[in-house]
């Protein structure tokens, strides 16, 4: 048997169910590796050994009573540190929440516990999920297992580096503009942003409430689908939660048949601005699908040109309101200036000390976008762009079943390369942002190593609202075509991580 | 060019309750001017008759039954507070002393 940590979650769950290996053994294997390698990748901000082993033991006991609680019963998982957990600190990558242990669990965390999935620990992220590299985390950047001098994507770079470095079999992410999909693309892993409302946001520390969506992170499409099946479903605690079920994603993956499929290539996301090697791999994905008899047409989404601009007005506007709750009163940091300050001065000193530069930048930008006299020109227009993007997508989906784009314009860049250029950083999400603005599902699947640098790239699949199953079906088709070419998953080509 | 001046930044930071140093104000004014210039193009894309979308999947009247449910106890709610007294959050003076 090959080492447990390299096994897909779908195999681990079967081995655990057959009692060939216990959940405790699997969980221990991931801890042993994580304790050795986390100093290298900085994937986890907090590891939870005792509690996870206790949960694994309960999972094994339940199995011996014949109880199976979820499609990933007994498989351990890493959770992004912007989801609340009552038994572990939750920082959201910020000094303002350092040491805070929440009073309630996020609904997704409750589902993991009920589904007998031991929580290995909490993963690193850009502060309050604002960023695409983890360089804005107050606790240092995570490292890309393919090249430790490079970023693992963000904001969910802790989860992507944990999964692609085999420090966790699966992980939870959140995606506001690409924070699951961009990290998946640059680490050669898989990540999906479900339809808005498919997964409850209760207990997710909000960045931009109309864009945020929790989703699964894994090393292959089936594991991603199994995890979406565990965490999705209606939740009365989230008023934006979809009332209806979207069906089983794992079932859709198992029916990966390209017959009759129509695919659209977005004109605005297939030419300029992409690294040549990334573009070549995307063209190769399309060629592979055409060879399978898939119909491919070009579709025009002219409003996509304005997506990044609209996003960087809507997101800061919503974030500036959401982050007003960090006010030194009920939880988190409090900094009291000298003298006899008023609460207003305490708040300002606390927020000065507790927030990093990108968070301050976005709060102030959002405050500007919402301020009287500018509201219509900025926030109002951005919301209208959102309508136009939805209209573009509706027209496109009349002609095709799904849209494909490169997930990211480049492969992983070097740590430090873009950190002082906010605008360059914002453009990493050029292909992923439209899905958040329109509430549609999107996922990234690896499609090879770019010829310039030998680093992974991903193809993004976008489907209409509620059609997550269709997206997974196409993801599985693409994955299957590449597995036939490569012989083994892309991650088997990654360099082996060595302890410091 | 946008109208982001150091004074604008000072005003916005004070609205957002973030203390900023003079050096930060200068830096932020430069960065925000570049960002605002690049996002201002949303204006060109839209006309008066386009309806605004605030939420990707419209939902209305999401209510629940008005029944009492278990919730945090007072001590749980106060457990993470930087300071509390007599079952309440304790904060600095709200009004300046005259």
């Amino acid at each position: 048997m090959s080492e447990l940590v390299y096994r897909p979650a779908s195999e681990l769950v079967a081995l655990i169910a057959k009692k060939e290996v216990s959940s405790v053994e699997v969980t221990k294997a991931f801890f042993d590796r994580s304790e050795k390698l986390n100093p290298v990748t900085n994937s986890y901000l907090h590891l939870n050994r005792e509690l996870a082993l206790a949960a694994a033991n309960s999972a094994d006991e339940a199995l011996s009573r014949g109880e199976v609680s979820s499609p990933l019963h007994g498989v351990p998982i890493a959770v992004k540190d912007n989801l609340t957990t009552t038994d572990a600190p939750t920082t959201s990558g910020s000094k303002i929440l350092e040491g805070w242990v929440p009073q309630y669990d996020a609904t997704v965390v409750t589902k993991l516990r009920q589904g007998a999935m031991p929580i290995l620990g909490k993963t690193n992220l850009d502060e309050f999920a604002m960023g695409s590299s983890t360089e804005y985390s107050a606790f240092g950047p995570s490292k890309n297992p393919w090249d430790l001098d490079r970023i693992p994507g963000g904001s969910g770079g802790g989860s992507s580096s944990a999964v692609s470095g085999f420090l966790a079999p699966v992980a939870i992410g959140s995606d506001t503009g690409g924070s699951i999909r961009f990290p998946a693309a640059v680490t050669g892993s898989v990540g999906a942003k479900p339809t808005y409302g498919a997964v409850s946001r209760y207990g997710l520390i909000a960045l931009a409430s109309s864009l945020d969506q929790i989703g699964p992170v894994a090393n292959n499409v089936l594991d991603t689908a199994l995890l979406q099946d565990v965490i999705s479903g209606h939740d009365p605690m989230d008023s934006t939660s979809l009332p209806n079920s979207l069906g089983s994603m794992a079932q859709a993956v198992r029916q990966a048949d390209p017959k009759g499929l129509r695919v659209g290539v977005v004109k605005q996301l297939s030419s300029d601005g992409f690294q040549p090697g990334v573009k070549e791999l995307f063209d190769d994905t399309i060629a592979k699908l055409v060879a399978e008899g898939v119909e491919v047409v070009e579709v025009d989404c002219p409003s996509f040109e304005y997506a990044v601009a609209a996003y960087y007005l809507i997101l800061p506007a919503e974030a500036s309101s959401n982050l007003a709750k960090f006010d030194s009163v009920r939880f988190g940091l409090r900094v009291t200036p000298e003298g006899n300050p008023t609460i207003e001065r305490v708040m300002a000193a606390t927020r000065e000390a507790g927030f990093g530069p990108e968070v301050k930048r976005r709060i102030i930008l959002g405050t500007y976008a919402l301020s009287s006299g500018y509201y219509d020109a900025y926030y109002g227009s951005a919301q209208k762009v959102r309508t136009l993007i939805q209209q573009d997508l509706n027209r496109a989906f009349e002609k095709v079943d799904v849209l494909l784009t490169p997930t990211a314009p480049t492969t992983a860049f070097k740590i430090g390369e873009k950190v002082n250029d906010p605008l360059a950083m914002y453009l990493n999400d050029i292909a992923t942002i439209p899905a958040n603005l329109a509430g549609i599902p999107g996922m990234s699947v690896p499609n090879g190593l770019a010829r310039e640098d030998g680093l992974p790239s991903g193809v993004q699949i976008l489907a209409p609202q509620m059609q997550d199953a269709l997206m997974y079906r196409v993801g599985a088709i693409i994955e299957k075509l590449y597995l036939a070419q490569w012989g083994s998953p892309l991650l088997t080509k990654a360099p082996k991580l060595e302890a410091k | 060019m946008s109208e982001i001046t150091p004074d604008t930044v000072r005003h916005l930071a004070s609205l957002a309750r973030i203390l900023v140093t003079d050096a930060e104000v200068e830096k932020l004014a430069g960065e925000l001017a570049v960002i605002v210039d690049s996002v201002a193009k949303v204006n060109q894309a839209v006309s008066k008759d386009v309806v605004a979308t605030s939420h990707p999947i419209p939902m209305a009247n999401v209510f629940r039954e008005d029944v009492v449910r278990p919730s945090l106890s007072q001590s749980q709610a106060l457990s993470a507070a930087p300071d509390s007294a007599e079952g309440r959050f304790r904060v600095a003076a709200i009004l300046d002393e005259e």
Side-chain angles (χ1 to χ4, degrees), chain B:
Chain B
M1 282 300 285
S2 72
E3 301 148 45
I4 307 269
T5 62
D7 279 344
T8 322
V9 173
R10 253 182 224 105
H11 175 62
L12 293 168
S14 122
L15 288 176
R17 304 285 183 269
I18 299 175
L19 196 66
V20 279
T21 62
D22 286 344
E24 271 182 305
V25 166
E26 289 297 328
K27 189 160 184 281
L28 278 165
E31 288 167 349
L32 291 175
V34 173
I35 296 170
V36 168
D37 279 344
S38 82
V39 297
K41 69 173 178 183
V42 291
N43 260 320
Q44 305 157 15
V46 299
S47 59
K48 267 210 307 258
D49 40 314
V50 179
V51 183
T53 296
S54 61
H55 194 277
I57 298 178
M59 289 191 191
N61 300 337
V62 180
F63 296 134
R64 66 165 175 89
E65 289 300 307
D66 185 16
V67 289
V68 178
R69 297 185 303 186
S71 59
L72 296 181
S73 67
Q74 190 181 53
S75 65
Q76 280 174 321
L78 291 169
S79 63
D83 195 5
S84 65
E86 298 168 39
R88 293 165 207 168
F89 298 104
R90 189 210 285 270
V91 297
I94 290 168
L95 299 175
D96 252 330
E97 282 175 39
E98 290 304 313

Side-chain angles (χ1 to χ4, degrees), chain A residues 103 196 240 305 329-331 334 342-344 348 351-352 360-361 374 378 381 383-384 386-387 390 465, chain B residues 3 16-17 19 24 31 41 43 47 50-51 53-57 76 79-82 89-90 93 96:
Chain A
Q103 289 82 3
Y196 183 85
T240 62
E305 195 192 319
V329 174
R330 290 152 302 155
F331 58 111
R334 176 181 293 181
T342 60
I343 187 171
E344 206 175 300
R351 287 158 69 83
E352 147 72 9
K360 288 178 189 167
R361 208 150 42 220
Y374 296 105
Y378 293 131
S381 297
Q383 289 198 314
K384 288 181 173 183
R386 212 169 168 173
T387 308
Q390 283 199 335
Q465 283 184 357
Chain B
E3 301 148 45
R17 304 285 183 269
L19 196 66
E24 271 182 305
E31 288 167 349
K41 69 173 178 183
N43 260 320
S47 59
V50 179
V51 183
T53 296
S54 61
H55 194 277
I57 298 178
Q76 280 174 321
S79 63
F89 298 104
R90 189 210 285 270
D96 252 330

Side-chain angles (χ1 to χ4, degrees), chain A residues 88-175:
Chain A
T90 300
T91 66
S92 212
S94 181
K95 289 243 185 285
I96 211 162
L97 285 179
E98 199 169 7
W100 178 54
V101 180
Q103 289 82 3
Y104 62 97
D105 278 332
T107 295
V108 162
V109 169
T110 304
K111 280 178 181 277
L112 299 178
R113 296 194 203 281
Q114 288 170 347
M117 296 186 68
I119 296 172
L120 295 162
K122 305 291 290 291
T123 56
N124 196 19
L125 66 156
D126 288 287
E127 187 175 3
F128 291 107
M130 297 186 197
S132 51
S133 71
T134 67
E135 290 168 288
Y136 295 135
S137 167
F139 308 106
S142 299
K143 312 289 170 64
N144 191 323
W146 288 82
D147 177 348
L148 297 170
D149 292 330
R150 291 176 190 268
I151 60 103
S155 65
S159 286
S160 73
S161 64
V163 162
S164 60
F166 302 100
L167 280 70
V170 286
I172 297 291
S174 68
D175 189 312

Side-chain angles (χ1 to χ4, degrees), chain A residues 290-486:
Chain A
V290 170
E292 292 296 304
V294 171
E295 184 190 332
V296 178
V297 296
E298 187 179 78
V299 297
D300 196 14
C301 295
S303 302
F304 276 29
E305 195 192 319
Y306 301 97
V308 172
Y311 178 82
Y312 277 100
L313 287 164
I314 293 169
L315 179 142
E318 293 190 15
S320 70
S321 310
N322 275 327
L323 271 66
K325 68 168 82 66
F326 303 104
D327 60 2
S328 80
V329 174
R330 290 152 302 155
F331 58 111
L333 184 71
R334 176 181 293 181
V335 174
T336 307
E338 281 187 28
N340 201 11
T342 60
I343 187 171
E344 206 175 300
R345 286 188 55 217
V346 175
M347 284 179 189
T350 301
R351 287 158 69 83
E352 147 72 9
F355 289 146
E358 177 66 8
V359 172
K360 288 178 189 167
R361 208 150 42 220
R362 293 204 200 179
I363 290 175
I364 291 174
L365 179 61
T367 307
Y368 179 67
L370 291 176
S371 57
S372 159
Y374 296 105
Y375 182 96
D376 287 337
Y378 293 131
Y379 187 65
S381 297
Q383 289 198 314
K384 288 181 173 183
V385 167
R386 212 169 168 173
T387 308
L388 296 177
I389 285 169
Q390 283 199 335
Q391 289 171 352
D392 280 358
L393 285 165
N394 290 343
R395 268 193 302 273
F397 287 131
E398 282 171 13
K399 286 185 237 157
V400 296
D401 301 308
V402 293
L403 300 176
L404 296 186
T405 75
T407 308
T410 64
T411 55
F413 48 89
K414 286 234 163 79
I415 291 170
E417 195 177 317
K418 298 187 183 179
V419 74
N420 292 318
D421 186 352
L423 215 52
M425 196 71 102
Y426 295 172
L427 291 175
N428 294 320
D429 291 332
I430 190 162
T432 46
I433 278 171
N436 301 80
L437 291 171
I440 62 170
M443 83 186 291
S444 181
V445 175
N447 67 346
L449 304 176
R451 99 182 122 77
E452 305 92 336
D453 48 25
L455 292 167
S457 170
V459 56
Q460 177 181 230
I461 304 143
L462 300 172
Q465 283 184 357
M466 325 282 176
Q467 301 283 322
D468 299 40
L470 176 61
M471 170 183 83
Y472 276 99
R473 181 185 143 209
V474 177
I477 292 166
I478 293 172
E479 183 182 59
K480 206 166 148 190
L481 291 172
Y482 277 103
L483 272 177
Q485 179 188 326
W486 298 332

